[in-house]
Amino acid sequence: GAVVSQHPSWVICKSGTSVKIECRSLDFQATTMFWYRQFPKQSLMLMATSNEGSKATYEQGVEKDKFLINHASLTLSTLTVTSAHPEDSSFYICSALPEGSTYEQYFGPGTRLTVT
Amino acid sequence: AQSVTQLGSHVSVSEGALVLLRCNYSSSVPPYLFWYVQYPNQGLQLLLKYTTGATLVKGINGFEAEFKKSETSFHLTKPSAHMSDAAEYFCAVSDLGGGFKTIFGAGTRLFVKA
């Protein structure tokens, strides 16, 4: 089956530093990937849609300068949290839409970010 | 705009009892509907999906859901709960009009009592 990986699975960083999270589709190509954020005991909130070779589309209220998304290849999208603050601590989950698919996304295992 | 409402943030059942998790949606075009399960500190696993065709959809681990257009519902059921079913369940909706974006409900935590 289609597998999506995320790296790292968890990360702790200090306030003011930047953190990069990678999302990879291991056995398929994905022209579109999505980034979600999940606070404890809450649902997934879509942050942005990442399309290979073009700029990401951010949801309303998401700071594009703070959450930098790069989708440089058909198998890799990265999310960089810049100048992280404790309120950025969250569970970040990516998903990938296989090339040619219109609905079935495959989700990564998530990355737990803690900012101290 | 799409939206999903899950009735009941917590559901508790006894082992062997019927599981019923409720989901209502709104969508301006025919929707694609999904149920996902999430175990603690893990990503999401697809249980089942409805796109077109048969309205009763069977998924993994004995779960099934029925798409009822007239009621705009997509409730998840399982005849007999197992302890391993204890997890968070999310209903989600996606449609082409939304650019393939998937919108999730708030989630329902299922507790299974021995």
Side-chain angles (χ1 to χ4, degrees), chain A:
Chain A
V3 178
V4 175
S5 69
Q6 283 185 240
H7 178 79
S9 55
W10 60 271
V11 57
I12 301 172
C13 70
K14 294 186 176 181
S15 280
T17 62
S18 295
V19 175
K20 179 184 285 189
I21 302 170
E22 292 185 350
C23 176
R24 291 181 185 273
S25 56
L26 298 185
D27 49 4
F28 65 96
Q29 293 185 323
T31 49
T32 303
M33 290 184 174
F34 301 92
W35 286 96
Y36 296 86
R37 183 173 182 177
Q38 185 180 31
F39 290 106
K41 301 187 187 304
Q42 294 189 29
S43 187
L44 281 74
M45 300 300 296
L46 180 64
M47 298 175 66
T49 302
S50 167
N51 291 296
E52 187 266 339
S54 63
K55 291 184 178 180
T57 303
Y58 291 81
E59 295 300 301
Q60 192 172 10
V62 177
E63 299 176 60
K64 59 183 66 177
D65 293 332
K66 181 168 187 61
F67 298 100
L68 300 179
I69 291 172
N70 184 286
H71 194 154
S73 77
L74 288 173
T75 59
L76 174 64
S77 176
T78 60
L79 168 68
T80 301
V81 183
T82 63
S83 187
H85 288 94
E87 56 265 32
D88 298 325
S89 299
S90 189
F91 195 50
Y92 292 88
I93 301 176
C94 73
S95 70
L97 192 67
E99 210 170 18
S101 174
T102 56
Y103 58 86
E104 186 149 7
Q105 301 175 44
Y106 296 93
F107 286 82
T111 295
R112 171 77 57 195
L113 170 63
T114 301
V115 185
T116 62

Side-chain angles (χ1 to χ4, degrees), chain B residues 4-44:
Chain B
V4 178
T5 302
Q6 290 184 240
L7 299 176
S9 58
H10 297 85
V11 170
S12 182
V13 300
S14 297
E15 193 172 21
L18 172 72
V19 175
L20 171 60
L21 305 182
R22 299 178 187 275
C23 172
N24 289 87
Y25 70 92
S26 68
S27 177
S28 58
V29 297
Y32 295 147
L33 296 161
F34 308 83
W35 275 100
Y36 291 91
V37 61
Q38 184 181 36
Y39 296 97
N41 295 311
Q42 295 186 26
L44 275 67

